[in-house]
Amino acid sequence: MNPETTIRAELDKYLRDNDLTVSQFSKISGIHSGTLSRLVSGNRPIAMQQLERITSGMGLGEGALYDLYVDECFVHSAPNWRRLGPFLHRCAELNKLECIRRIAANLMDNLMYAQVLFETAEDFFNNDRYEAAAILYESVAESEKYQHSERLALCQYRLFKITLGYDQDANLRAAVYFEYFVERLDESDQLDALRDLANIYTSLHRWSNVDSLAKRMGEKAFIQYENKYKKYISRAEQKEPEKPLCFYILYSYLLRAAVSHENGDYEQAMQYAALYSDSSWIREDSEEAKWIMEQFKEWAVANTYLHRLMNGEVEVLSEYVAYIKTRENEVLPAFIKIMQAANRIGFNADEVITQFQSHLMYKEHRSKLGKLSMQVMSDKYTNLLCELATYYMRTNKYKKSVYYILKSLELSVKINNDSCVIQCVGLFEEIRHLTTRENQEKYKKLISEVQRLNEKKNEYVAGCF
């Protein structure tokens, strides 16, 4: 199509080429002949429903005239939200992202459209149309970048969540950029944002960041909790976070226990476990709150076994395994930690590996509180493979060690996990002389991909200066 053409010109050409009258096409398209006549003459703007009928009547595919319709809405007539709103939703359904981008760019010349675009983005986001939502959030954020508004911060929060993926470097950049906007969010949104940031930094093993964010989340949640349940304080209706307030307090203790554990302070970790096990202070009595209390108590029992095991109390291993075997979704994280303990302390874990063999396949994991994020699960699975590779090398089972080294390295490259890549490279080079030519070729290809990713990172860093 000629970029200078219009929907009316295309329709007129179609009628002439097919020797059709307006009345005949009216019957084909289902548009009243009088309405169609006014559309063709340009005396009436084209509504979304009419556009779809014209497209179908001309025998074109869905969305074939959408590029021209963008011009129709801005060049050939004044922008009208009654037409643009439904059109944006239809573009999102058909993944016509460039049309959405053009509409957003034109509308944001007038800041009065910021709110309706934001609301549309929220609708897209809540219906998992993330690419379409991101375009609108970016447009609204760009228009308000000097406003320091809550809406700007919420746009950045949504973009942060949309951006997250397998690439850990990209996740780190997204987290660092978004962290600046947290304090501008509504108090309830701050709790969820701090939780999401802490989860990303956990998957990146940036424990000082995790500790700082967990502390902030716990303090903010405690203040909100106290205010909510002080009966003498008159409270207006306020937005609630995703989960009951008690969750954020307990979760802050859980995260800080994880930090203490990673720092080797197992006594401190057990003290935090006692805190998130205690629900005596919780005043919320909803079913969700009861599930939260139950889940944290289960985690406290399992993690206390773990802290004791890592502290050298190998005699608790059988009790630990027996406890987690009855809790399917707790097996993977426990399996990783048992293998870490076996590698650090030096006990035999063959029986544990046999019992948990089915968990060597990557799969979705849930708790009573919901599904674990893709970023957290990918990191956990990569680390499990790496620990298994280390274990089998330590026990002189080199064929199995090589198998898990290559599996871990492959996933580490996929998610851009530098620490696991380095660990896998060190393990492979240590036993390279014992590997087959086929394994060496696979290793070589994976290292080539690592080098390509590093070159890409260097180009990104250079572009920042």
Side-chain angles (χ1 to χ4, degrees), residues 182-462:
V182 171
E183 292 296 326
R184 302 186 199 175
L185 290 167
D186 179 89
E187 285 184 348
S188 61
D189 287 322
Q190 285 182 29
L191 297 180
D192 292 312
L194 290 168
R195 176 201 60 190
D196 292 338
L197 277 168
N199 286 342
I200 288 301
Y201 281 122
T202 296
S203 71
L204 296 168
H205 302 179
R206 292 183 169 249
W207 300 112
S208 62
N209 297 80
V210 174
D211 195 50
S212 173
L213 291 165
K215 184 179 179 183
R216 284 168 62 192
M217 179 178 67
E219 289 171 348
K220 288 176 181 289
F222 182 77
I223 291 170
Q224 290 183 42
Y225 196 91
E226 286 295 294
N227 288 339
K228 181 174 182 176
Y229 290 99
K230 284 180 179 176
K231 295 182 180 179
Y232 56 84
I233 294 180
S234 176
R235 288 172 55 86
E237 190 70 25
Q238 292 191 359
K239 182 178 179 181
E240 296 287 338
E242 287 182 12
K243 298 185 182 298
L245 285 169
C246 65
F247 165 83
Y248 302 93
I249 298 171
L250 297 175
Y251 196 54
S252 71
Y253 294 142
L254 178 71
L255 289 172
R256 300 196 76 183
V259 173
S260 298
H261 182 95
E262 292 299 326
N263 290 335
D265 191 345
Y266 305 116
E267 292 295 333
Q268 180 71 68
M270 284 188 275
Q271 290 176 29
Y272 278 122
L275 288 173
Y276 63 78
S277 175
D278 178 19
S279 58
S280 60
W281 55 273
I282 295 176
R283 299 172 227 181
E284 292 153 308
D285 58 0
S286 66
E287 285 302 310
E288 186 177 12
K290 291 174 184 176
W291 294 338
I292 287 169
M293 288 183 270
E294 183 183 346
Q295 179 66 89
F296 277 97
K297 284 178 181 176
E298 286 186 10
W299 282 337
V301 173
N303 289 337
T304 299
Y305 278 128
L306 169 64
H307 303 322
R308 291 175 62 191
L309 178 63
M310 293 296 287
N311 206 28
E313 297 179 47
V314 181
E315 62 272 15
V316 304
L317 178 60
S318 58
E319 292 179 54
Y320 184 27
V321 172
Y323 183 79
I324 61 173
K325 275 179 67 177
T326 61
R327 293 161 175 80
E328 177 70 14
N329 290 310
E330 304 306 320
V331 172
L332 179 64
F335 192 4
I336 298 167
K337 293 300 183 181
I338 289 171
M339 295 313 303
Q340 286 178 350
N343 289 329
R344 293 178 191 178
I345 300 170
F347 59 80
N348 187 301
D350 289 350
E351 187 178 339
V352 175
I353 295 172
T354 300
Q355 291 187 65
F356 296 153
Q357 191 72 30
S358 64
H359 288 264
L360 294 177
M361 296 294 291
Y362 183 89
K363 57 185 178 181
E364 180 181 287
H365 280 69
R366 303 183 69 89
S367 72
K368 291 184 177 67
L369 307 183
K371 184 175 70 174
L372 294 182
S373 74
M374 171 185 66
Q375 296 79 29
V376 171
M377 282 308 307
S378 298
D379 175 70
K380 285 182 179 297
Y381 189 61
T382 306
N383 279 281
L384 172 60
L385 297 175
C386 202
E387 292 295 342
L388 286 165
T390 303
Y391 177 78
Y392 283 122
M393 179 179 289
R394 184 176 63 79
T395 54
N396 301 323
K397 296 174 182 176
Y398 300 117
K399 187 175 180 179
K400 286 186 175 182
S401 180
V402 171
Y403 173 80
Y404 286 113
I405 289 170
L406 294 176
K407 290 280 286 184
S408 182
L409 182 57
E410 184 177 12
L411 185 53
S412 297
V413 171
K414 181 180 178 181
I415 68 174
N416 215 344
N417 186 331
D418 288 342
S419 61
C420 266
V421 166
I422 292 168
Q423 194 170 348
C424 288
V425 168
L427 291 171
F428 190 89
E429 292 299 337
E430 190 173 336
I431 57 171
R432 175 192 278 272
H433 61 289
L434 300 173
T435 61
T436 64
R437 184 178 295 277
E438 182 183 355
N439 284 332
Q440 290 177 16
E441 284 300 313
K442 186 172 183 180
Y443 174 74
K444 184 178 177 181
K445 288 180 181 178
L446 290 170
I447 292 302
S448 295
E449 182 62 15
V450 172
Q451 291 170 339
R452 187 189 68 78
L453 290 172
N454 282 335
E455 288 171 3
K456 189 176 179 181
K457 288 181 198 176
N458 291 336
E459 287 173 5
Y460 174 83
V461 172

Side-chain angles (χ1 to χ4, degrees), residues 125 129-131 133-135 137 157-165:
F125 183 85
R129 302 190 189 282
Y130 298 124
E131 289 183 281
I135 293 169
Y137 286 132
Y157 183 22
R158 299 289 190 255
L159 288 168
F160 164 67
K161 296 185 76 169
I162 291 169
T163 299
L164 297 178

